Amino acid sequence: MNAALSWIRAYVPGLECTDQEYCDAMTLSGTKVEGYERRDRNLEKIVVGQIKSIEKHPDADKLIVCQVDIGQETIQIVTGARNVKEGNKVPVVLDGGKVAGGHDGGPLPEDGIRIKAGKLRGVPSQGMMCSIEELGSDRNMYPEAPEEGIYIFPDDTTVGADAVELLGLRDTVFEYEVTSNRVDCYSVLGLAREAAATFRKSFVPPVVKETGNQENVNDYVSVEVLDQELCPRYLARVCKNIKIAPSPQWMQRRLASSGIRPINNLVDITNYVMEEYGQPMHAYDLDTIAGHKIIVRRAQDGDQFQTLDEQMRRLDGDVLMICDAEKEIGIAGIMGGENSKITDNVTTVLFEAACFNGPNIRKSAKRVGLRTDASGKFEKGLEPHNALEAINRACQLIEELGCGEVVGGTVDVVRPMQEKKLLPFRPEKYNKLLGTQVSGEEMLEIFRRLEIGIREKEDGAAELVIPWFRQDLNCDADMAEEVARFYGYDKIPTTLPDGEATAGKLSYKLRIEQKARDVAEYCGFSQGMCYSFESPRVFDRLLLPEDDALRRTVTITNPLGEDFSVMRTISLNGMLTSLASNYNRRNRNVKLYELGNIYLPGELPLKELPDERMQFTLGFYGEGDFYTMKGAVEEFFACVGMKKRPAYDPHAQKTFLHPGRQALIGYEGVTVGFLGEVHPQVLDNYGIGERAYVAVLDMPALEPFTTFDRKYEGVAKYPAVKRDLSMVVPKSILAGEIEGVITQRAGKLLETLELFDVYEGSQIKEGFKSMAYSVTFRAKDRTLEEADVNGAMKKILNGLEQMGIELRS
């Protein structure tokens, strides 16, 4: 938001301060000033001069010699301007003065251009006459300036007066960073109100009176709002006998200071009120409105509409439109239509001031690809009360500037508006929040400066009446902030936080994930991060069947492209893609891990959010094999307190894994993941030229089995007893099954169990393999006797025999 200090001072009489003082004070009181620029920067010694005579230059056809009266004396100036005549009053830079730039309208020099007396083609020249570009502006902001040549003042301008002052350039434009909750400060009046409170001055807004003749506006136009959720208030007034002309200079100068190009009195009035009140307005040619009826409704999907910038805009059912009895005439809150624009032939104007749903305006502006000053204000959520005063202000200016005749009355379609908010006055609570000792009377004085009303209740307690323009004040903390910013943040003492001390720590879920990172990196894996968006073609690369549940995906409504059009249901594509990238760059022995979500929909189309499941994915190629990956998984299990041995089911039936080198990982009967060697065809699909291994652990599934509770035991006091078991085992029996039987049968006496030999060969009968285990027994409270160990071994052997396992002789 940009605003000139002169415009602020118009509503805050007696505001005297330097630019830096204003900047600092407003920033400290909560209205942050990003920066400021003096419009008269590099403009020095420039006065109004009157050309008394013009003669041709004796030695140059394109130059003339002018005698110019500057009030106290007459000086001679040589110029090449063609638009000057005797009697013209023009801006003159005196000897030693400065101008902002050159006449070519190019970039302005940082330090301006110093003008010195000298000679032009042998003729003395004691100054320079200026174009508007040389004064640091252009014809967009000064439309009365000639397209080429010297700026000409009106005939009644005083000779010798300050030309910079007359042009409105003795001013400073401040740039404010307004937060989105302070909608009132997106207007000059809102900023002036803040300035008045900051500098303890009176705030004097313009006195607005409802004007109009004896006619009734309802005889001219009717309004119907079909969606009051998107348009809570719509106001319409009519002005007739319109006379299009330039707006007065004071209005042009204020608009120019805000960066708005003056056009004509009618357009300038709507822009002026938008800047002054923060309420966008629009003017329609009433003669172009079919049936003299306004209908506010949603567009139809696929509709097209030509806006004032002559561009066709594609609409949908969420875009709110302003329509007449036959057609659309404007996109609500964004821009009017080409079919109802104001032309120089207009005679009767319909003024519109409305409030629209802020989020809808923002979304609509994005949909149609058009963001305007009006939409930028509407999307903040304007206050409906402001619209009536703004439209009355516009009609008042119409009459004051002789622009037309205002028809009496206002069409006002409005849903019930909220009453003013009432908040209890609680100075003790404000002081406790701030750590201050501000008196209640001082707080009330601050609130009065902010136009917050104070009312006494029947029980004697005070109550604060929040003005309608302060939508951001809703609770004690908000009121305490108002006290703080005007009492002075620099006066608030330093205090320690009040309350019980708490120890911050990670949640249990995050602690498990952190342990996963630690274990993976300890085992030599580097962390990677993969996209959650994937292509449907991923499932073909992973050889998933057409009816596989993993092909049921959440489809993205507005994807970046087909390669990022669905949410992933399996984490392997990202891992294999990363391994392939490393392989193609000839990196050796690559180990990667990732912690990332997959997204499993409950039903399609979606009726509820998908199940987001964190997956711990490991992958590597190079040194290592299936058992290297298995060791990393079991290391993680041990570190998160999963003490029991995991079970491995070789019948995993994962199509993307090698059929003979894969396994489901189970724990206490629950499948918590899988691991294995990648299928050769899948390796070819990803361009990986050597064996690769992956493991995926479903973190939500294994979390219930984890614990960080640790119980430490002292060094064993009693000796251990070891026994070795050498067995002939059917090949169909897995080592895990054998270890499960031994663990169960040995009971509490079992300390460790270690497989130290596996053999298959000619000395073992066909269909069998030789396996040898070392079994260690120890009691915590005594020395084991032979009978204890023999009893445990007997139970183990009985269990193994039932599985068809024989002891080797």
Side-chain angles (χ1 to χ4, degrees):
M1 175 73 189
N2 291 351
L5 186 57
S6 62
W7 202 347
I8 300 291
R9 282 175 170 153
Y11 309 127
V12 188
L15 177 58
E16 297 296 335
C17 59
T18 66
D19 295 338
Q20 190 60 52
E21 288 172 346
Y22 180 86
C23 176
D24 294 342
M26 292 293 284
T27 298
L28 286 174
S29 68
T31 308
K32 183 179 179 183
V33 179
E34 279 289 294
Y36 61 89
E37 181 180 3
R38 285 210 56 91
R39 300 191 69 204
D40 60 355
R41 183 171 65 95
N42 295 326
L43 299 180
E44 299 176 9
K45 298 179 69 173
I46 304 176
V47 300
V48 177
Q50 185 175 24
I51 300 175
K52 290 301 188 181
S53 65
I54 298 176
E55 299 177 357
K56 289 185 178 182
H57 192 289
D59 296 322
D61 294 337
K62 295 183 178 181
L63 297 178
I64 56 175
V65 181
C66 303
Q67 303 300 319
V68 182
D69 179 9
I70 58 171
Q72 297 178 346
E73 61 177 319
T74 299
I75 62 175
Q76 179 172 285
I77 296 177
V78 179
T79 180
R82 301 179 181 179
N83 67 315
V84 293
K85 300 176 182 177
E86 290 184 1
N88 284 163
K89 296 179 179 179
V90 298
V92 176
V93 189
L94 304 179
D95 180 23
K98 258 188 179 184
V99 292
H103 64 277
D104 58 357
L108 299 180
E110 183 66 26
D111 297 323
I113 299 173
R114 182 74 64 184
I115 303 301
K116 295 183 179 180
K119 291 184 178 181
L120 286 178
R121 301 293 292 271
V123 176
S125 181
Q126 297 168 289
M128 183 182 81
M129 294 182 278
C130 303
S131 66
I132 198 64
E133 288 78 15
E134 288 164 331
L135 296 173
S137 191
D138 55 46
R139 293 189 66 251
N140 286 328
M141 301 307 174
Y142 291 82
E144 75 277 10
E147 188 168 348
E148 292 182 1
I150 304 302
Y151 183 85
I152 308 296
F153 283 108
D155 293 339
D156 58 353
T157 306
T158 302
V159 174
D162 185 345
V164 178
E165 179 73 30
L166 292 173
L167 288 168
L169 294 174
R170 293 274 185 233
D171 204 353
T172 306
V173 177
F174 289 85
E175 180 184 355
Y176 302 87
E177 182 184 319
V178 182
T179 53
S180 57
N181 66 320
R182 290 302 306 272
V183 181
D184 57 306
C185 288
Y186 284 95
S187 66
V188 175
L189 284 176
L191 294 171
R193 187 180 286 111
E194 287 290 304
T198 299
F199 290 93
R200 298 176 180 267
K201 300 293 183 182
S202 299
F203 172 60
V204 185
V207 178
V208 179
K209 297 179 181 179
E210 185 174 350
T211 57
N213 58 23
Q214 299 303 312
E215 296 180 276
N216 190 338
V217 69
N218 292 287
D219 297 333
Y220 283 79
V221 68
S222 62
V223 176
E224 181 180 8
V225 179
L226 299 182
D227 194 330
Q228 287 201 318
E229 285 296 321
L230 298 185
C231 179
R233 190 172 198 181
Y234 190 98
L235 294 156
R237 296 202 68 178
V238 173
C239 299
K240 64 180 187 178
N241 301 326
I242 295 296
K243 303 177 183 64
I244 299 295
S247 54
Q249 280 198 358
W250 63 266
M251 180 176 286
Q252 292 188 29
R253 300 296 183 257
R254 287 183 178 178
L255 289 174
S257 68
S258 296
I260 298 176
R261 179 171 63 92
I263 297 175
N264 58 49
N265 50 6
L266 190 60
V267 176
D268 291 353
I269 286 171
T270 60
N271 287 333
Y272 183 84
V273 173
M274 179 176 71
E275 292 299 302
E276 187 177 43
Y277 280 84
Q279 172 65 51
M281 299 182 60
H282 192 69
Y284 298 99
D285 186 340
L286 186 61
D287 294 332
T288 66
I289 298 177
H292 287 189
K293 182 175 184 179
I294 293 293
I295 302 173
V296 184
R297 62 168 176 81
R298 292 173 182 258
Q300 301 294 321
D301 288 337
D303 282 356
Q304 290 191 331
F305 179 72
Q306 188 176 20
T307 46
L308 278 170
D309 57 1
E310 300 182 356
Q311 298 293 315
M312 293 299 296
R313 310 287 176 177
R314 185 176 296 276
L315 311 174
D316 61 36
D318 290 326
V319 178
L320 193 66
M321 300 298 294
I322 310 299
C323 312
D324 61 19
E326 299 175 355
K327 62 186 180 299
E328 294 97 343
I329 58 174
I331 304 177
I334 300 176
M335 185 176 281
E338 179 72 16
N339 55 10
S340 61
K341 69 179 181 180
I342 299 294
T343 66
D344 290 343
N345 300 320
V346 65
T347 57
T348 308
V349 165
L350 169 68
F351 273 118
E352 162 196 290
C355 280
F356 301 111
N357 179 274
N360 177 262
I361 294 298
R362 180 170 177 80
K363 292 175 182 176
S364 297
K366 286 183 173 291
R367 286 191 188 96
V368 303
L370 178 61
R371 195 168 188 270
T372 60
D373 289 340
S375 69
K377 293 183 184 295
F378 276 123
E379 66 189 27
K380 306 295 188 302
L382 299 185
E383 166 56 46
H385 290 88
N386 192 41
L388 179 60
E389 190 166 359
I391 199 169
N392 287 338
R393 171 66 163 162
C395 291
Q396 178 180 330
L397 289 171
I398 288 286
E399 289 196 347
E400 288 179 358
L401 304 185
C403 185
E405 180 182 355
V406 180
V407 174
T410 304
V411 179
D412 187 1
V413 180
V414 59
R415 70 179 184 184
M417 291 188 290
Q418 292 183 348
E419 298 293 330
K420 288 185 176 180
K421 287 177 285 190
L422 301 176
L423 297 177
F425 176 55
R426 302 172 64 184
E428 299 84 4
K429 181 65 178 293
Y430 307 155
N431 278 323
K432 186 175 181 181
L433 287 170
L434 298 173
T436 56
Q437 297 295 326
V438 183
S439 67
E441 188 54 44
E442 190 173 354
M443 291 183 185
L444 291 176
E445 192 274 332
I446 290 173
F447 293 152
R448 292 188 188 97
R449 282 153 53 193
L450 293 169
E451 300 184 35
I452 297 172
I454 296 97
R455 189 172 71 179
E456 187 172 335
K457 298 167 64 176
E458 293 181 358
D459 59 2
E463 196 171 39
L464 303 176
V465 183
I466 308 303
W468 53 261
F469 54 82
R470 288 303 301 273
Q471 302 180 55
D472 59 309
L473 301 182
N474 298 293
C475 62
D476 289 339
D478 294 332
M479 304 313 300
E481 181 183 9
E482 296 303 294
V483 172
R485 66 195 189 96
F486 289 103
Y487 172 71
Y489 289 112
D490 55 326
K491 298 179 184 177
I492 297 177
T494 302
T495 56
L496 293 173
D498 184 19
E500 297 181 359
T502 57
K505 64 178 182 179
L506 294 175
S507 66
Y508 189 77
K509 172 179 176 291
L510 293 180
R511 288 176 68 192
I512 295 174
E513 292 175 11
Q514 185 58 54
K515 186 61 68 175
R517 293 186 185 92
D518 293 343
V519 170
E521 290 165 9
Y522 169 77
C523 293
F525 291 81
S526 299
Q527 185 171 13
M529 189 165 291
C530 304
Y531 291 116
S532 295
F533 301 163
E534 291 187 335
S535 167
R537 294 193 296 270
V538 163
F539 306 120
D540 296 329
R541 300 176 75 185
L542 293 174
L543 308 181
L544 290 179
E546 290 295 330
D547 59 349
D548 196 294
L550 294 177
R551 287 183 178 266
R552 298 178 68 253
T553 60
V554 178
T555 302
I556 298 169
T557 303
N558 54 341
L560 299 173
E562 186 182 1
D563 289 342
F564 305 95
S565 60
V566 299
M567 303 297 291
R568 67 177 180 177
T569 57
I570 185 171
S571 60
L572 282 185
N573 174 65
M575 177 58 66
L576 293 174
T577 301
S578 298
L579 291 175
S581 297
N582 280 276
Y583 180 80
N584 292 330
R585 288 167 174 77
R586 300 185 180 182
N587 294 328
R588 301 174 62 188
N589 303 321
V590 173
K591 289 184 174 182
L592 299 175
Y593 78 92
E594 182 203 9
L595 281 163
N597 285 337
I598 60 172
Y599 305 84
L600 305 177
E603 58 178 318
L604 294 175
L606 281 178
K607 295 183 180 177
E608 58 184 5
L609 293 175
D611 183 14
E612 299 185 27
R613 303 187 69 84
M614 176 64 68
Q615 306 290 287
F616 179 26
T617 308
L618 299 159
F620 76 87
Y621 66 80
E623 292 182 1
D625 56 16
F626 180 94
Y627 297 101
T628 304
M629 184 64 79
K630 179 172 176 284
V633 170
E634 292 184 356
E635 178 72 19
F636 169 63
F637 284 0
C639 288
V640 292
M642 298 170 68
K643 298 179 180 179
K644 296 183 180 180
R645 291 178 178 271
Y648 297 93
D649 181 2
H651 307 292
Q653 297 181 344
K654 301 292 185 183
T655 55
F656 42 80
L657 297 180
H658 192 293
R661 299 166 189 161
Q662 59 174 283
L664 293 177
I665 306 171
Y667 194 86
E668 294 190 7
V670 176
T671 300
V672 296
F674 61 85
L675 79 162
E677 181 182 325
V678 181
H679 195 289
Q681 181 60 52
V682 175
L683 292 174
D684 287 343
N685 291 343
Y686 282 90
I688 302 175
E690 59 179 286
R691 291 183 179 183
Y693 300 87
V694 294
V696 177
L697 298 177
D698 186 41
M699 300 295 270
L702 61 83
E703 183 177 325
F705 306 113
T706 61
T707 178
F708 288 103
D709 295 336
R710 297 289 187 267
K711 184 178 180 181
Y712 295 95
E713 297 180 354
V715 178
K717 297 180 180 180
Y718 302 98
V721 178
K722 287 191 177 183
R723 293 285 191 272
D724 289 342
L725 282 173
S726 181
M727 303 168 287
V728 178
V729 182
K731 287 186 176 180
S732 60
I733 296 178
L734 303 176
E737 298 176 67
I738 297 173
E739 292 168 4
V741 170
I742 295 175
T743 302
Q744 179 189 6
R745 297 275 177 152
K748 295 181 179 180
L749 296 180
L750 180 65
E751 183 176 73
T752 60
L753 174 63
E754 181 181 358
L755 174 67
F756 66 86
D757 182 62
V758 177
Y759 172 73
E760 294 181 33
S762 59
Q763 298 179 16
I764 304 299
K765 58 185 176 180
E766 188 175 350
F768 287 77
K769 57 187 175 183
S770 172
M771 300 179 69
Y773 280 91
S774 177
V775 185
T776 303
F777 300 94
R778 191 194 305 266
K780 297 179 181 179
D781 56 351
R782 59 192 173 87
T783 300
L784 290 175
E785 298 180 358
E786 188 73 18
D788 296 326
V789 178
N790 289 341
M793 287 297 296
K794 186 175 181 180
K795 291 179 182 179
I796 292 171
L797 294 174
N798 289 337
L800 295 175
E801 286 176 5
Q802 291 174 14
M803 298 174 65
I805 298 174
E806 305 172 3
L807 286 179
R808 287 190 67 181
S809 57

